[in-house]
Amino acid sequence: MDDYPLLDVFWTMLWFFLWIMWLFLLFKVITDIFRDHDLNGWAKAGWLIFCIVLPYLGVLVYVIARGKGMSRRDVKQAKDSEAAFQDYIRKTAATAPGGGATDELARLADLKEKGAITAEEFEKAKAKVLA
């Protein structure tokens, strides 16, 4: 441990951290290349080759040239995911076993208030729904 001073440990950790951040950025750019529907296949292939052959320069140029679009695509994907999730919740809640009975009871209560059914008919229908 004496032959590896504390400052060298710090520098090693810093370079390792920067290397991991670089990998995250590289994967983010490659993911964005494939996610972009505005680029045709040749443009995607060109950007991908550029980022693989000259990774530092390729990623830097991509972020400068298309960085604003990256953030828009991220926001769009997050909104689409949220909308799909909310739609799934609405569909699941509508088909839940308790949801149908609640709707049926509300409909029966409306019919009773309007005078379409009597209180006795309401109680029989309510018992049937809850059974």
Side-chain angles (χ1 to χ4, degrees):
M1 195 61 131
D2 293 334
D3 57 341
Y4 203 66
L6 186 61
L7 186 59
D8 287 343
V9 172
F10 171 75
W11 283 114
T12 302
M13 289 174 52
L14 179 68
W15 283 112
F16 183 72
F17 175 73
L18 291 174
W19 184 70
I20 295 296
M21 284 182 51
W22 160 249
L23 285 177
F24 273 107
L25 182 61
L26 178 66
F27 289 134
K28 179 75 172 162
V29 166
I30 290 173
T31 303
D32 189 67
I33 290 171
F34 285 110
R35 182 177 39 188
D36 189 7
H37 298 295
D38 295 337
L39 291 176
N40 62 19
W42 288 108
K44 288 180 183 185
W47 275 113
L48 191 61
I49 289 170
F50 189 37
C51 288
I52 291 174
V53 173
L54 298 170
Y56 294 109
L57 184 62
V59 168
L60 180 66
V61 170
Y62 187 85
V63 169
I64 291 170
R66 302 182 50 84
K68 193 176 284 191
M70 284 177 71
S71 62
R72 274 189 256 128
R73 284 184 288 281
D74 279 343
V75 169
K76 183 182 181 305
Q77 182 184 14
K79 286 181 181 178
D80 290 346
S81 296
E82 180 67 24
F85 180 66
Q86 293 296 331
D87 186 48
Y88 170 75
I89 289 175
R90 278 189 217 96
K91 286 180 182 176
T92 305
T95 59
T102 305
D103 292 338
E104 184 67 23
L105 287 174
R107 189 180 63 80
L108 286 172
D110 286 341
L111 288 174
K112 180 183 164 195
E113 286 177 13
K114 292 178 183 175
I117 59 173
T118 64
E120 185 178 304
E121 291 172 330
F122 172 75
E123 291 300 325
K124 285 182 185 178
K126 183 171 99 173
K128 184 177 178 183
V129 167
L130 294 176

